[in-house]
Each structure stands twice: as C-alpha cells, then as structure tokens.
Amino acid sequence: MAASMRLLVRQLARLSHRKVTSTVSGVSCRSACCWRTSSGRCFSDAAEDRSTHFGFETVSEAEKAKRVYKVFENVAQKYDVMNDAMSLGIHRLWKDVLLHVMHPQPGARLLDVAGGTGDIAVRFLDYVRYQLERQKRRDTPSGQGSSWQDISDDRRRESSAVVCDINKEMLKMGKQKADRMGVVSGLSWVVGDAEELPFDDDQFDIYTIAFGIRNVTRMDQALQEALRVLKPGGRFMCLEFSKVTNPVLARLYDAYSFQVIPVLGEVIAGDWKSYQYLVESIRKFPNQQEFKGMMEDAGFYCVQHHDLTGGVVALHSGFKL
Amino acid sequence: MLLRFLRLKQRQYTLNFKVCVHRLHTGRADRTFSHYDGLYPGHIITTPFQKALLAVGSGVVALQDPYRHDMVAVLGETTGHLVLINLRDRMRNDPEGYTVLTERPKIRLSTLDLEKMASLPDGSFGREYLRFLEDNEVTPDSRAEVKFVDDEELAYVMLRYREVHDLMHTLLGMPTNMLGEVAVKWFEAAQTGLPMCALGALLGPLRLNTRRLQSLFTSLGPWALQNGWQARCVLSIFYERRWDQSLEELRRELKIQPPPVDFTKRRKNGR
C-alpha cells in the first residue's frame, strides 16, 4: 500500500514537471515558427510541438521517430523468425500476392521503402528473372545460342531493386540474408528516410512499402515523396495491416494480437514491449477507405485497394500520371 | 486456497483500474515505453491467459536453450506467485528478513565496495564471493529484472531471490557449470519450493553426463536436499552487512554443511 502511494506521488510529480517543460518549449516554438512558411517542411522544433501516436500513447513527432528507430533496432535480429511465428508463415503469401498483382516486367526499377530485411526486393528480382527466362525460351527456338543482339537486349532489360530503410540494423540483417541466398546483382541497400528520400525525381517504375508506412511519422510526407521519385506512369503499392470488417474475425484477430503476439515477442525475441507497440500501431493506422483518400490527396490516380485474409492486410495501389 | 484466489482476483481488478487511470495521464517521455509501467519500473501487466502462455513458452525455450536466462526468469515469475507469498511471509516473520524487506538492499556492482572486499582476509564471506565472481567470470549485474509479478513487494522478493542465487554458489561452494547449477537448484527447490526450481532440478540432470550424474545422485544431490530443508531461510539474511564474517561461521549460522566435493581445490590442481 505504501509502495503504491509512493509510486502515485512520483507520477504526479513527474506529470506536473512535464506540463511545465512542454509549456515552455511550446511558447518558444510558436515564436520561432511564426516567420516560417507553412508549406515548407517544418523544422524539428515544430515536430516537438505537434503530437502523434506511438501505439496507444501520445507523443511528440520527434519522439515517435526516435522510439520507432529503437524498436526496429531491437527487433532486427529476430525480425524474420517473429514474422513467421506471428503470422504462421502467411506473411510470405501476402508478399507473393503483392508481386503477382505488381506483375513487373524485365527492365523495371523498383524502390522498396522501409524494405528492412529485403523480402520484397528479393522476390521482385526472382520474379523478373523468371519472366526473362520465360521470354527467352519463347523467343529463341531451341538449338540456337544467344546472339550479341540478345545479350545487349538483356543488359537493357536488366532490372534493379533498391532497398531503402531508415534503420541500419534492419538493412544489415537484410544484406546478410541476401548474401546467404546468393542474390547479389541488381540489389542495392540505401539508408534513407521515407519522408525525405535520397533520390532524384522520376527515377523508379515501382515504389513499394510493405508493412512500413504505419511506422512513418508523417504519412502524407511519405506519400508525396513516393509521388516525386516515381516516373510518370509509375506505380505505388502499399501492403499494410488494415481493418477487419467481419466482426467475428475481428474479435478473434484482436484477441490474438493482444494476448498472443506480445507473449511470442517475449519468448522468441525477449522483447515484449516492441511487439506490444507493433500491435497497437496496427490499430492506429487509418482504414482502407481513409488511406485511399490520403493517396488521392497526395496526387495518385486510379487508387484501388484489395483486402487479403479478410481485411487483416490491405493492398493499396495507385499511379502517377 | 479459495480465499487466496479471490483476493488475487480482487487485486488484479484494482491493479488494472490503477493502470487505466495512469494511462489517462500519458506522458513520461523520458522512457521508451513509459505508459506500460504498472506497479514498479519494468512491470508488464498480463492476463492469466498470457501468464499461462508465457509459462509454457518460456519452459519450452529454457529447456531447449538453458543459456536463455531470461526465459528461466520468466518461468519463475509466472509460476511462483503462491510460493513468493509464502517466502515473503517467512521473511516478515524473521527479524533480519523484515529488515531486508523494509530497507530493500540491492546487490549491484555499483553498490559493492570491491576494493574493500578484496582486502578482506581469505575465508571471509566477502572475499570468497569476490573470488567466485572472478573465477567464474560473472557479475551481479547480469540478473534479469522482474516483469510479470503483480505485486511490488513480491517483485522485490523475486529479485532478491535472484541476487542471492550467486551468493548461494559461494555459500555452497558450487561452480557455475551444469553440475554446480543443478546442485544449487536442488538446494533452492528444497528451500523455497519455487516451481521453477523444482522443474530445473528435475530436468537439469538430463543434460549431465554419466559421471556427473553419479556424483549428483550419490553425494551432491542428497547433501543439497538435506541442507535445503534444514537451513534457515536464505533470503532473510542481510548479506551486505556480513562481508567480513567468516564463511565457515556464516555456514554454521545458516545450518549449511560444507560441500562433500571441494571444487576449488580441483580447479587449482586439475585445470
């Protein structure tokens, strides 16, 4: 009893202290911000001022970015094992569906943002290489070798995939995995922020972000950047956990997410809290229609969404025209 | 038994209410996951279903990989509630144990005066403990923190049990290899009755070779069990105030007989 009273007093003291500091910083931010243009990208002071969600908690935007970075630094080692355990391997099917809907042709350039351990990029390269093999087999009658023309055509049609992630640990794990699988050519690994991509305009045919956009602090910024780096005619594709419409399935899914997943996180990865954050962040993500609206606001056309596994995952697609 | 269960349920509801109220006042931004704090730093609120799942999961993983000390810790926390209450009551009934419960000492590298302990004479408890830490290349700071115990005082009892585990190695003269660990687990199982200790005591020997199994069953095991039953409650001792006490004297006070096998001499000669 005495111990819980002590705890309550400490909490109240810290709460009042924080209120004071946030008021002070709020005042200084407002005075600094007044002469800045509203359309430009805000500086970190303003990011401290605006609040967003981190799971079910409310934090400043600058704080969220830091915390998300820490989460993925912690989970990187066991990320793939945990994905398999949590989704019972179904995440592989979701990613395969993404590739089939994408149906990339040889010569396409892919940018996989928040690509982390490189699942999408590796699948992409396998897919286009398979397509290339099929085309060659169809075009070249048996018995003939490849001519100089064919070889130079091949070079022109060589696809490439860039994996971009803000977290170095995740990229490191991805690179190790790709090396182990023997996928090296055509793949590059770049550290970058989805809100401020280190690429020029009109560079890529396809932009994908799989299970990453809900961790981005300012999604509208990420969507605008996606529009910028895509070539005209390029396609934006997003795989993300979304709202389950069926009420029975929704109840089961919630129970599974909140009861089982953090336990799996603790037992397999030794990290309960990161996985608690992950399931909470899924609940805070906008539903299928809202996200479609955000994509249209950013400037994408022909925006469509498909539900996978009853709405557990949604695949959104849009074009830059 | 039923009363205890009902009281436990009641405590759980008040606990959840307290945490809900706390969550409304969000925002200690200094910690990564501050709003998860329950009754003490590091506390994670869990439902009985989650505790059951954790117990099974951690048990399986701990068996497969005994070096996952965090899983052994989680197993202890999720299965030991009633026993922790028992231990806490035993500590309360002992005058020195009561002092430990109120003053809450913690054995950490930062709280130990290593130089002073190194200067103590050989055969003193502090010097032997330091020797144990050096020989086995362990540190008192490597103990996992308590996460799943839903009571602040019981969480301290659990933490104290973990901290005292290393001291047990010194008092019993057991090294940190598999045989030594199993012997200490047998002692702790007899002493405390924690299910995790009992499980470790039962399943640990599966990983020993025949020679060590023989040693365990013929001499070390019976000695450990006997002493576990007859010794004073080891959690009730304020070890931090007894560094300069002679090890032999402390053993006599706790009613622990010296080990039948002397591992220290063996280490000096054979290794």
Side-chain angles (χ1 to χ4, degrees):
Chain A
M1 188 62 200
S4 44
M5 276 303 293
R6 276 203 298 271
L7 192 65
L8 193 59
V9 167
R10 266 205 299 267
Q11 287 163 10
L12 286 169
R14 252 177 280 196
L15 183 65
S16 55
H17 173 70
R18 193 169 182 271
K19 272 197 176 134
V20 168
T21 46
S22 62
T23 336
V24 167
S25 63
V27 165
S28 63
C29 281
R30 271 191 282 277
S31 58
C33 269
C34 62
W35 55 271
R36 291 197 180 115
T37 55
S38 52
S39 58
R41 191 145 187 277
C42 289
F43 292 78
S44 57
D45 285 345
E48 295 264 339
D49 208 17
R50 279 191 307 271
S51 67
T52 179
H53 50 81
F54 178 75
F56 289 160
E57 203 186 340
T58 307
V59 298
S60 71
E61 289 190 348
E63 183 68 28
K64 171 162 181 170
K66 263 190 281 182
R67 290 201 195 180
V68 170
Y69 192 94
K70 201 87 190 59
V71 164
F72 283 95
E73 205 177 44
N74 291 343
V75 308
Q77 292 274 338
K78 292 273 171 80
Y79 185 73
D80 291 321
V81 175
M82 278 300 297
N83 280 346
D84 278 331
M86 290 190 291
S87 67
L88 306 170
I90 302 174
H91 75 103
R92 295 163 188 251
L93 297 177
W94 292 328
K95 288 166 183 165
D96 288 342
V97 167
L98 174 66
L99 259 301
H100 282 289
V101 171
M102 193 196 295
H103 194 50
Q105 294 305 304
R109 276 196 81 200
L110 170 80
L111 173 65
D112 183 22
V113 176
T117 51
D119 279 347
I120 304 293
V122 166
R123 278 175 169 78
F124 169 84
L125 287 172
D126 280 343
Y127 195 99
V128 292
R129 271 163 205 166
Y130 175 70
Q131 294 289 321
L132 202 57
E133 300 287 304
R134 266 182 58 182
Q135 269 181 18
K136 279 211 304 226
R137 271 202 302 272
R138 246 199 341 250
D139 296 343
T140 318
S142 57
Q144 286 186 13
S146 40
S147 64
W148 286 114
Q149 185 65 34
D150 289 338
I151 294 171
S152 66
D153 275 349
D154 278 354
R155 267 210 212 102
R156 261 204 302 279
R157 290 189 296 173
E158 192 63 41
S159 312
S160 68
V162 178
V163 182
C164 179
D165 199 293
I166 199 171
N167 196 298
K168 294 188 193 74
E169 282 304 313
M170 293 289 284
L171 283 176
K172 203 167 77 173
M173 297 309 303
K175 193 156 191 302
Q176 283 172 6
K177 190 169 78 172
D179 289 344
R180 265 199 317 269
M181 289 169 66
V183 181
V184 178
S185 72
L187 194 54
S188 50
W189 306 82
V190 175
V191 176
D193 185 349
E195 297 177 21
E196 203 174 342
L197 290 169
F199 306 107
D200 287 331
D201 300 1
D202 305 332
Q203 289 289 310
F204 298 98
D205 298 295
I206 307 160
Y207 174 113
T208 54
I209 183 163
F211 306 113
I213 202 159
R214 74 178 188 282
N215 297 308
V216 173
T217 314
R218 302 212 55 196
M219 282 195 284
D220 50 343
Q221 207 94 41
L223 289 170
Q224 278 169 19
E225 279 291 282
L227 194 71
R228 180 180 71 79
V229 302
L230 275 171
K231 291 180 191 165
R235 192 175 194 180
F236 170 90
M237 302 190 77
C238 170
L239 253 189
E240 192 50 83
F241 290 107
S242 202
K243 293 288 177 285
V244 178
T245 41
N246 182 313
V248 174
L249 191 59
R251 289 281 296 271
L252 284 171
Y253 178 52
D254 280 347
Y256 179 73
S257 296
F258 284 98
Q259 298 294 315
V260 179
I261 286 182
V263 173
L264 282 177
E266 179 69 29
V267 170
I268 298 176
D271 193 347
W272 175 288
K273 291 175 175 173
S274 294
Y275 287 90
Q276 180 84 29
Y277 158 72
L278 286 176
V279 300
E280 289 181 1
S281 65
I282 291 173
R283 299 300 173 299
K284 297 303 270 187
F285 186 71
N287 67 24
Q288 286 86 330
Q289 285 297 99
E290 284 167 14
F291 191 66
K292 179 178 171 201
M294 285 173 75
M295 282 173 68
E296 284 167 347
D297 288 343
F300 287 101
Y301 289 92
C302 309
V303 178
Q304 288 183 320
H305 60 89
H306 315 271
D307 277 355
L308 304 174
T309 320
V312 172
V313 170
L315 170 56
H316 281 82
S317 152
F319 289 89
K320 171 178 178 174
L321 296 177
Chain B
M1 195 69 188
L2 179 64
L3 266 171
R4 265 202 195 143
F5 179 73
L6 289 172
R7 240 179 280 153
L8 170 64
K9 280 279 146 212
Q10 193 189 33
R11 228 176 282 148
Q12 204 174 340
Y13 291 136
T14 46
L15 161 68
N16 283 334
F17 173 70
K18 267 187 228 165
V19 174
C20 285
V21 168
H22 172 42
R23 275 190 192 169
L24 285 175
H25 305 289
T26 49
R28 263 174 291 156
D30 48 322
R31 294 157 158 278
T32 313
F33 291 100
S34 57
H35 90 291
Y36 297 102
D37 277 358
L39 298 171
Y40 51 87
H43 183 205
I44 296 175
I45 317 284
T46 43
T47 60
F49 175 71
Q50 285 176 316
K51 284 199 178 65
L53 217 55
L54 274 170
V56 170
S58 61
V60 168
V61 173
L63 264 177
Q64 279 182 335
D65 185 2
Y67 292 103
R68 281 289 301 270
H69 297 297
D70 60 328
M71 285 294 103
V72 178
V74 168
L75 183 63
E77 288 171 33
T78 48
T79 53
H81 185 84
L82 293 174
V83 171
L84 281 176
I85 293 177
N86 186 320
L87 278 174
R88 194 261 314 268
D89 292 343
R90 272 161 79 181
M91 284 172 82
R92 270 201 192 145
N93 291 335
D94 180 294
E96 200 176 349
Y98 188 76
T99 323
V100 171
L101 269 182
T102 39
E103 290 191 30
R104 307 270 179 105
K106 285 187 167 62
I107 301 175
R108 292 268 181 283
L109 271 180
S110 49
T111 57
L112 294 176
D113 188 350
L114 292 174
E115 276 178 25
K116 184 159 175 281
M117 280 169 75
S119 67
L120 290 169
D122 280 347
S124 66
F125 178 52
R127 187 71 194 86
E128 295 308 313
Y129 175 58
L130 202 62
R131 185 168 290 135
F132 162 80
L133 289 179
E134 285 162 359
D135 284 350
N136 292 280
E137 288 166 359
V138 291
T139 147
D141 290 353
S142 57
R143 292 289 140 210
E145 61 174 12
V146 180
K147 291 189 273 215
F148 301 110
V149 177
D150 291 335
D151 179 295
E152 205 227 338
E153 197 174 25
L154 294 182
Y156 175 73
V157 174
M158 192 75 204
L159 189 67
R160 187 72 182 164
Y161 155 75
R162 275 183 206 156
E163 291 181 349
V164 164
H165 178 84
D166 281 348
L167 296 170
M168 281 304 101
H169 275 278
T170 314
L171 273 175
L172 299 172
M174 291 291 117
T176 52
N177 58 25
M178 201 65 202
L179 180 61
E181 291 288 354
V182 173
V184 175
K185 272 284 167 291
W186 281 38
F187 177 89
E188 286 176 344
Q191 252 269 310
T192 63
L194 278 168
M196 178 263 289
C197 295
L199 206 63
L202 277 173
L203 300 171
L206 295 173
R207 293 184 154 264
L208 291 172
N209 62 29
T210 339
R211 185 176 56 84
R212 287 184 170 183
L213 260 180
Q214 207 175 20
S215 166
L216 180 69
F217 281 115
T218 51
S219 59
L220 275 183
W223 164 80
L225 285 176
Q226 182 81 11
N227 281 277
W229 283 320
Q230 78 192 19
R232 231 182 103 187
C233 179
V234 294
L235 291 179
S236 297
I237 310 296
F238 209 125
Y239 295 100
E240 291 84 343
R241 293 187 179 151
R242 290 165 175 262
W243 296 130
D244 44 5
Q245 191 175 4
S246 135
L247 188 57
E248 292 305 322
E249 198 197 312
L250 189 55
R251 278 183 182 157
R252 267 197 305 275
E253 195 182 330
L254 291 176
K255 300 189 204 137
I256 294 176
Q257 289 150 6
V261 181
D262 193 348
F263 287 99
T264 49
K265 281 217 183 76
R266 211 189 264 181
R267 218 178 4 258
K268 278 177 195 153
N269 296 337
R271 244 212 291 183

